[in-house]
Amino acid sequence: MTSLVKIAFDLPHPPHSLFRLYLSKLPRTHWMGLLSNIHGAATAVASSHRQKRASIDQPPRTGEEANLADASDDETSILDQEQGSIILSMISQLRMDMDLQKVSFPTFVLEPRSMLERITDFMSHPEFVFGSVLSQPYVLTLFKGLSNLSAEAIPNPEERFIRVLSYYLSGWHIKPKGVKKPYNPVLGEIFRCRYEYPDGTKGFYIAEQVSHHPPISAYFYISPHNKVRIAGELRPKSKFLGNSVATIMDGENRVFLMGRPEDGEYVLGLPNMYARGILFGSLVLELGDTTRCKNDATGVSCNVEFKTKGYFSGTYNAICGKVKSNGAEIGAIDGRWSHQLDYKDGKTGEKRVLFNARTESKNVVQKTVAPESEQEPNESRRLWSKLTTAIANKDMEAAQIAKSEVEDAQRDLARTRETKGIVHKQRFFELRDGLWQAKIEMLDNPDEMVAAVEKWMWAPPPS
């Protein structure tokens, strides 16, 4: 058994589909014993590998070795013995293909912010849709000399689509080191912030956890003077798949260029997330599967494939997709979402850089969030402040206590509502036409819209 486990552990990505099938045929007590053996062997092999690495002065790596090393720096995690034991304890709660909504994850895998705040990563590079107002130097070389124009001012619908697509893809590089997941928002939790842009214009973002069973996060962004609006919802579902955990990212971003009402909405799907190496190997976070991005009014679309690394070949964080106009291919994107994305024109063969994450990560637009002392009790940073502090202090015991306090309080509120027959009311969003939409009227005048948004977002909570 140990030899077989060691062989499996030494593979970059073991054939988990066969492993899942094997586990599914075993009685629960038997396969949990197998997991314990795997954990013990994996710990021993990992320790051996670490000792070997420490004793060898390795030369610079190139090619595939460099790719793997690069991924290890950013996307992998090495567990110590205590953390490995906690993972094994968590796994003991699991069954194959089980929905993980009710499983409590250990605090050392948590990213110290709520999912409601993490969604703001998609708004981090507005230069793609705002145009020259925020353009960084590298943007001036892109988009066929149209960088001084906002996306809505570009006459070519295909180029407008590529701008919006670039805006969407530019946010994925923002992530913590290693394999981390943000806090699961609790029902009624909110996160709100504002953006102050260099030209004096503003942007506003509000998110609310509108449902707990199933979990649904609704969000809304608007920059009235820049004529950009984003609405969306996130409905994650997590499953245990043997040596990995999959988070199925149902939901979508809907981008509106308000100066182009004839375009309607740009609908941008979300890739799924995979945390691999739970039982053996290093923990690795990958985005995977194909997501559809489209604009029905103009007929332009792109099926974006987020590629996971193969067992014996390939690279991490690869991405590709063919851009089509009314079914005819007009270009293609490819690259790595953590590094650089390129676009190749189907007619001319010209290739240009859409986004370089390595050089432009320093240009992420910063948001302004009210101090915790001025926030409401259900605002994300205040709600989870004890947990965030404990994680920063690497105090796992205090972190678990803080996490349990928030979750237990929410269970008490749920029981109280059930006992009294109270139905939870969403504060900032409502369900219309099957979508969660912001409870605010859209105004044509940008100054009036800014005033309306500020009044709506920071109004006192209902009594």
Side-chain angles (χ1 to χ4, degrees), residues 27 48 54 100 104 147 164 244 283 374 380 407 432:
S48 174
L100 301 184
S104 180
S147 64
V164 174
S244 64
L283 279 171
E374 299 177 12
S380 297
E407 294 170 342
R432 298 199 307 267

Side-chain angles (χ1 to χ4, degrees), residues 116 206-210 216-220 232-234 429 436:
L116 299 185
I206 178 74
E208 178 180 0
Q209 191 69 6
V210 295
I216 302 176
S217 305
Y219 52 94
F220 173 82
E233 56 193 69
L234 185 61
F429 295 86
W436 287 99

Side-chain angles (χ1 to χ4, degrees), residues 113-229:
R113 59 175 175 166
S114 171
M115 174 60 82
L116 299 185
E117 180 174 356
R118 188 176 189 180
I119 295 170
T120 61
D121 292 351
F122 296 120
M123 295 85 179
S124 297
H125 292 281
E127 62 269 16
F128 287 104
V129 285
F130 288 3
S132 61
V133 168
L134 288 175
S135 287
Q136 306 298 339
Y138 86 100
V139 179
L140 299 177
T141 65
L142 306 183
F143 305 111
K144 299 181 179 180
L146 299 173
S147 64
N148 61 316
L149 300 178
S150 63
E152 67 173 37
I154 296 174
N156 186 310
E158 289 85 4
E159 286 296 327
R160 289 201 301 275
F161 179 85
I162 294 171
R163 278 287 194 95
V164 174
L165 184 64
S166 301
Y167 178 46
Y168 161 70
L169 294 175
S170 67
W172 289 106
H173 73 96
I174 304 170
K175 58 181 292 297
K177 182 178 179 181
V179 179
K180 304 290 183 181
K181 67 180 294 296
Y183 310 149
N184 291 329
V186 298
L187 183 63
E189 179 182 338
I190 63 173
F191 179 82
R192 50 192 176 183
C193 66
R194 70 175 76 229
Y195 297 86
E196 303 282 348
Y197 300 120
D199 66 337
T201 58
K202 298 179 180 179
F204 304 91
Y205 170 86
I206 178 74
E208 178 180 0
Q209 191 69 6
V210 295
S211 174
H212 186 59
H213 295 296
I216 302 176
S217 305
Y219 52 94
F220 173 82
Y221 165 90
I222 190 169
S223 183
H225 287 90
N226 293 300
K227 299 181 181 180
V228 176
R229 185 170 83 247

